[in-house]
Amino acid sequence: MNLTVHPAPPLHGAVRVPGDKSITHRALLLGAVAEGSTRIRGYLDSGDCRATMGCVASLGVAVERENDGDGGLVVHGRGLHGLRTPSRPLDCVRSGTTMRLLAGLLAGQRFASILVGDAQLCRRPMDRVVTPLRRMGARIAGVGGHRPPLTVTGSALHGVEHALPVASAQVKACLLLAAIYAEGETVIAEPGPSRDHTERMLRARGVGVESTGLRHALCGPVPRIAALDVAVPGDFSSAAYWIVAAALVPGSALLIRDVNVNPTRTGLLDALEAMGAHIERLDPRDEGGEPVADLLVRTSPLRAVEVGGDLVPRMIDEFPILALAATQAEGVTRVWDAAELRVKETDRVATITAVLTALGARVVPRADGFDVEGPTPLRGAAVDSHGDHRLAMTAAIGGLVARGETTVLGAGCIPDSYPGFAETLHALVPGALP
Ligand code: S3P
């Protein structure tokens, strides 16, 4: 599937983005092992989250869609020891979060399971979860060099202290889920602040996770997890496309409603504000243990920014769209400390360079980041998504500010994280799509 985009007139009005992907995955997994039913309102019905739903169902957990208008999901939890032996491999499709979090949850079960995925997922490294889980006593193996598929044979686990070499919420969540079943204390030390949804959600369900700075401790085994309904806020990583669109398309003033503004997620706001972007947080509030706000974005001239250190994990999924913003900013934007980008859905240093260069931008890739020189007038082109949803959406937003027509080739991956992206684009910019 291709998506063709034309230059946009000013963006006005209000948009809502779908529910947060990370919170939806966690609500499903914690709901599966909770005692009682969990209702998840505003869940993200994306390809990645459907993979988690499918795996949870294969583990014997009933997941029902409600038909009452606001379309919730109900997960009928089976308790910490109630999951069933899956009769076939658990298909994580293209979702790294599904595979890594499930590996942790399954390590302490009393049965064996196999975690499989598609070709894109099979290229992604799993040693970051395999190595610490083995230290906890897990019996887990991947294919040469710890790539998927993973076989996990449930075993008795014990707590360890593990220092993550790279900040990763997926690894932290994997180990916290294993720690629930482990004897003794598990301590996870992060080198930087990754998203903290797991810690928040575990605490809200009665599981003691003690966080002191970047160290997180959980004492297991946990006797039970309480069921707790979830209202999933809008995904900041999806809002990011409209934030940058409104910042770049001249004369725009766009309101993005109900966005999760957890500070472990909003590094892009810090970077854009340092670039001179006009972003107001309206009506800040707490919803179900997560900070939420409406964001009002107005176009403004941008200057280059430097992004490294702790800012990187706080905006790890936003580098493609940041790089697009940088093409329109005065000066050289430099990104470093971001080698992690090379092991996302694609090698994002390479794909950011390829996509933006195709639109006429000046991007220089480096081992742990890239430089973007701006401002550069972009020209429409046929641009390959490389099967990466975030690159596909970045190219589409690029098309709003490029001269001529932009065609995103392979846009069928967008619903991995953002079902309804093209429809929202169409509603917002009726002339932008043919
Ligand atoms: C996620 C964590 C991030 C992010 C991914 C979702 C999560 O990965 O890139 O899209 O839900 O925990 P890392 O924490 O491994 O960087």
Side-chain angles (χ1 to χ4, degrees):
M1 187 205 124
N2 299 336
L3 181 63
T4 299
V5 184
H6 292 123
L11 306 180
H12 288 292
V15 288
R16 271 203 171 79
V17 293
D20 187 87
K21 181 154 80 78
S22 295
I23 295 175
T24 301
H25 283 302
R26 286 156 174 80
L28 285 162
L29 294 174
L30 292 176
V33 292
E35 276 176 23
S37 297
T38 297
R39 181 164 181 246
I40 313 174
R41 268 193 303 121
Y43 72 98
L44 177 65
D45 194 12
S46 74
D48 283 7
C49 294
R50 284 186 179 191
T52 297
M53 272 176 233
C55 292
V56 160
S58 300
L59 290 162
V61 178
V63 181
E64 275 174 84
R65 284 173 206 264
E66 288 183 323
N67 298 318
D68 68 350
D70 70 353
L73 265 191
V74 180
V75 182
H76 296 280
R78 298 183 56 87
L80 282 169
H81 301 286
L83 297 180
R84 297 228 176 101
T85 311
S87 56
R88 53 177 185 274
L90 300 168
D91 192 355
C92 305
V93 193
R94 274 200 291 270
S95 173
T97 310
T98 306
M99 187 171 280
R100 290 182 178 133
L101 269 57
L102 263 180
L105 187 67
L106 294 173
Q109 304 297 329
R110 296 187 182 123
F111 54 81
S113 26
I114 301 174
L115 296 170
V116 299
D118 77 354
Q120 187 189 72
L121 182 53
C122 285
R123 285 193 291 271
R124 298 186 67 184
M126 292 296 147
D127 40 340
R128 53 187 57 201
V129 293
V130 169
T131 303
L133 285 174
R134 279 193 183 151
R135 286 191 57 224
M136 295 177 77
R139 286 196 285 156
I140 177 167
V143 172
H146 303 318
R147 304 272 162 184
L150 295 178
T151 50
V152 187
T153 309
S155 52
L157 304 180
H158 53 82
V160 292
E161 176 150 356
H162 183 70
L164 301 188
V166 176
S168 164
Q170 293 184 353
V171 178
K172 177 174 61 176
C174 164
L175 300 182
L176 286 170
L177 291 172
I180 289 171
Y181 293 90
E183 195 68 48
E185 191 181 50
T186 298
V187 178
I188 302 152
E190 303 186 88
S194 70
R195 64 194 67 188
D196 64 357
H197 308 300
T198 313
E199 299 91 297
R200 288 173 186 253
M201 292 174 79
L202 281 172
R203 282 184 205 116
R205 285 159 183 74
V207 180
V209 182
E210 298 230 345
S211 297
T212 318
L214 297 173
R215 283 170 73 84
H216 313 281
L218 192 161
C219 224
V222 167
R224 64 187 290 271
I225 291 190
L228 185 66
D229 290 349
V230 184
V232 183
D235 195 323
F236 181 84
S237 296
S238 299
Y241 301 97
W242 309 122
I243 295 171
V244 170
L248 297 186
V249 175
S252 299
L254 185 65
L255 185 66
I256 308 149
R257 291 193 200 276
D258 304 328
V259 184
N260 179 228
V261 287
N262 179 320
T264 60
R265 297 290 298 278
T266 52
L268 178 74
L269 289 185
D270 297 4
L272 288 173
E273 277 161 359
M275 294 171 87
H278 268 259
I279 305 166
E280 281 178 70
R281 296 178 195 216
L282 305 177
D283 192 15
R285 55 210 185 260
D286 179 283
E287 282 180 13
E290 289 279 344
V292 172
D294 302 334
L295 301 175
L296 178 61
V297 187
R298 292 177 208 276
T299 316
S300 58
L302 300 181
R303 53 185 175 273
V305 69
E306 307 231 323
V307 178
D310 282 358
L311 194 49
V312 172
R314 294 181 50 236
M315 53 178 293
I316 192 65
D317 291 335
E318 280 64 76
F319 284 96
I321 197 68
L322 171 84
L324 176 69
T327 68
Q328 304 308 300
E330 184 77 45
V332 179
T333 290
R334 284 184 212 285
V335 171
W336 70 93
D337 291 337
E340 202 45 23
L341 294 177
R342 294 205 175 264
V343 291
K344 290 294 176 188
E345 282 81 336
T346 55
D347 172 347
R348 284 192 177 152
V349 172
T351 50
I352 286 169
T353 306
V355 164
L356 295 182
T357 304
L359 291 172
R362 283 172 289 173
V363 185
V364 180
R366 280 184 288 93
D368 71 340
F370 52 86
D371 294 349
V372 180
E373 196 182 334
T376 308
L378 300 182
R379 48 176 155 69
V383 184
D384 187 358
S385 73
H386 300 270
D388 186 328
H389 52 122
R390 303 219 184 271
L391 269 302
M393 290 186 276
T394 296
I397 300 299
L400 298 179
V401 289
R403 216 169 353 99
E405 184 174 280
T406 299
T407 300
V408 185
L409 307 172
C413 55
I414 290 175
D416 286 356
S417 69
Y418 196 157
F421 173 82
E423 289 76 3
T424 299
L425 183 60
H426 192 53
L428 202 54
V429 198
L433 299 182

